[in-house]
Amino acid sequence: MPAESRPSWARSRSQEDADRAARGCSTVISAMSGFGPRSGSSPDRVDLAGNRNLLLASRRSGTEHFIMVSMHGAAENHPLELARLKYEFERELMSAPLAWTIVRPTVLTETFAAVIGAPMRKSGVALIFGDGQQKINFVSVHDVAAVLVLAVADPALRGKAIDMGGPENLTMNQFVAALRSRYGSSGATVHIPCAVLRMVTSWPALAPDSVRRTVESALHLADTGHSLDALPARDAVPDVPLTTVSQAFALL
């Protein structure tokens, strides 16, 4: 991290905290999210309201450049709430009176490696939602971090939304096999049928909202996949590495 950069810790729902975090910053990078059962919050409170607070704070403090980590495929009519809220804030940021850059990563390699790898390393069991046959594009957090650093320094990336994918489209079965190879793990791979996932999403009483949102996301990937030809979008950032899944695993 450059010497003049600093991380700031703040409660996303607090405008006072956001004002303090943005004070004196020429560039603000927001990678906040309320998604997931361990987030302690929700996408509407963090990905939308929290980003709104931070954007207002950035405008008040005279910030020149706001960089947002969104998600690939964010759209008004996306089936996932998170993607719809990311899109809503993207529109607000694009119309704000300051420079902006939006980075839209696909599925993060290291996130899934942690989710699948923790039980695998403990018991040898790997859980896969659905049959694991849909192709998914995985991008490493190292690549995403590199493009964020570049966006801070390169004025040519201002006013641009960058679709950030990785070099590989793998099935979840292939992903798990590569992760087993990395850890030298053997054991059962359990496929949870999509019908079970639909039951959880259809009956709110079965799980808290945070878990339901996670299951909805897993069901979306299991049903439709998320493949991408990432190379054309990488033309805008040719110096950013193209980290394969195996290379990312080696860095875990």
Side-chain angles (χ1 to χ4, degrees):
M1 183 178 291
E4 67 273 14
S5 300
R6 59 176 173 84
S8 292
W9 301 95
R11 295 166 297 172
S12 62
R13 64 180 179 274
S14 168
Q15 187 63 60
E16 181 181 355
D17 279 8
D19 288 341
R20 183 172 61 253
R23 191 173 298 128
C25 294
S26 59
T27 299
V28 167
I29 301 174
S30 174
M32 70 174 80
S33 183
F35 183 78
R38 297 184 179 180
S39 72
S41 191
S42 61
D44 62 323
R45 293 180 179 178
V46 179
D47 298 80
L48 184 58
N51 269 316
R52 282 174 170 167
N53 288 342
L54 188 56
L55 178 58
L56 176 58
S58 299
R59 293 174 59 184
R60 286 174 172 173
S61 69
T63 297
E64 300 173 11
H65 187 198
F66 193 106
I67 303 173
M68 173 204 181
V69 179
S70 182
M71 63 181 286
H72 184 260
E76 185 177 16
N77 61 349
H78 198 284
L80 298 180
E81 176 194 37
L82 177 65
R84 296 193 299 271
L85 294 176
K86 290 283 194 184
Y87 175 83
E88 185 174 347
F89 183 71
E90 282 187 10
R91 299 301 103 182
E92 295 179 15
L93 176 58
M94 289 177 178
S95 63
L98 77 173
W100 55 267
T101 303
I102 296 170
V103 179
R104 299 178 181 138
T106 55
V107 177
L108 296 175
T109 302
E110 290 81 359
T111 296
F112 270 72
V115 170
I116 296 173
M120 178 192 295
R121 297 180 73 181
K122 184 176 181 179
S123 66
V125 175
L127 296 178
I128 294 179
F129 295 131
D131 62 12
Q133 294 294 336
Q134 297 289 347
K135 292 281 189 177
I136 299 169
N137 185 271
F138 291 95
V139 65
S140 172
V141 294
H142 298 282
D143 296 11
V144 177
V147 81
L148 292 174
V149 171
L150 184 62
V152 172
D154 188 353
L157 296 184
R158 297 188 178 191
K160 291 187 176 180
I162 303 167
D163 289 321
M164 194 68 186
E168 295 173 296
N169 294 299
L170 302 178
T171 68
M172 194 57 70
N173 291 329
Q174 292 171 323
F175 186 91
V176 167
L179 194 58
R180 285 197 186 281
S181 177
R182 166 65 177 87
Y183 290 136
S185 169
S186 61
T189 296
V190 178
H191 291 81
I192 301 176
C194 288
V196 174
L197 304 180
R198 291 190 182 93
M199 184 183 301
V200 173
T201 61
S202 300
W203 294 359
L206 289 178
D209 286 346
S210 59
V211 174
R212 177 185 51 77
R213 283 189 289 266
T214 302
V215 173
E216 285 175 345
S217 176
L219 180 59
H220 178 68
L221 286 178
D223 270 344
T224 65
H226 196 109
S227 61
L228 175 72
D229 178 5
L231 295 183
R234 288 296 193 104
D235 289 342
V237 286
D239 296 329
V240 172
L242 277 163
T243 305
T244 67
V245 164
S246 293
Q247 289 169 339
F249 287 169
L251 297 172
L252 293 176

